[in-house]
């Protein structure tokens, strides 16, 4: 099996990001890890080309991004839109949640993720 071709700096960046997980990422990770949600395997800070989404599920072709206040800045929103577009061009669905959604309505966030996992799995079976 051929290894994915990622720019070398992205692999190092992904490692650093995993070591410096935000409190909100930690909250969501405790509910996604070890196939806890719908039996789907998630990875933290997994490189996809030149981008590193917060969470990624290869089986469902799903990336999850958590956004804090910095993402309200115009320059960051432009970058986020470009990142989302390039990831989606790989056939990966991108879900974006604000940090507050995770901390205040975690069960709703998990339900949304679960719906997408089930939907993507059904599409792949067809």
């Amino acid at each position: 099996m051929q290894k994915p071709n990622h720019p070398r700096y992205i692999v190092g960046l992904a490692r650093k990001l995993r070591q410096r997980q935000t409190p909100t990422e930690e909250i969501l990770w405790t509910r996604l890890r070890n196939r806890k949600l719908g039996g789907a395997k998630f990875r933290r800070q997994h490189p996809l080309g030149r981008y590193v989404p917060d969470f990624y599920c290869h089986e469902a072709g799903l990336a999850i991004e958590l956004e804090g206040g910095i993402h309200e800045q115009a320059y960051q929103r432009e970058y986020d839109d470009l990142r989302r577009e390039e990831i989606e061009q790989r056939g990966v669905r991108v879900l974006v949640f604000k940090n507050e959604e995770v901390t205040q309505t975690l069960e709703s966030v998990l339900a949304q993720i679960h719906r997408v996992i089930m939907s993507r799995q059904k599409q792949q079976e067809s």
Side-chain angles (χ1 to χ4, degrees):
M1 181 175 185
Q2 185 179 5
K3 270 187 132 175
N5 188 15
H6 306 292
R8 199 175 289 170
Y9 74 93
I10 289 296
V11 174
L13 174 62
R15 283 187 186 120
K16 286 180 184 175
L17 290 171
R18 282 191 294 271
Q19 292 168 355
R20 296 189 324 240
Q21 189 171 10
T22 69
T24 308
E25 289 170 349
E26 193 170 330
I27 290 168
L28 187 55
W29 179 238
T30 62
R31 300 295 296 272
L32 295 177
R33 67 185 306 189
N34 298 326
R35 298 184 180 268
K36 288 180 184 172
L37 187 65
K41 168 106 174 118
F42 279 90
R43 299 174 181 147
R44 289 183 302 145
Q45 307 295 343
H46 181 78
L48 287 176
R50 61 188 182 131
Y51 297 101
V52 183
D54 295 322
F55 302 98
Y56 174 66
C57 176
H58 178 76
E59 299 161 355
L62 174 63
I64 300 171
E65 285 290 336
L66 302 182
E67 294 187 347
I70 188 74
H71 295 272
E72 297 300 320
Q73 302 294 323
Y75 71 91
Q76 185 65 45
R77 182 147 312 282
E78 186 177 319
Y79 173 83
D80 291 344
D81 290 345
L82 177 63
R83 176 189 63 205
R84 191 173 303 116
E85 184 178 309
E86 285 194 31
I87 290 173
E88 287 178 344
Q89 286 176 354
R90 295 172 167 272
V92 175
R93 168 95 184 261
V94 180
L95 290 180
V96 180
F97 299 100
K98 293 190 180 305
N99 285 345
E100 295 79 24
E101 290 178 275
V102 173
T103 58
Q104 296 173 10
T105 60
L106 180 59
E107 295 306 319
S108 173
V109 167
L110 292 170
Q112 290 177 60
I113 296 169
H114 189 259
R115 277 193 297 274
V116 171
I117 291 169
M118 294 297 112
S119 171
R120 304 268 303 176
Q121 286 176 347
K122 283 180 186 173
Q123 288 175 356
Q124 291 172 354
E125 291 171 1
S126 304

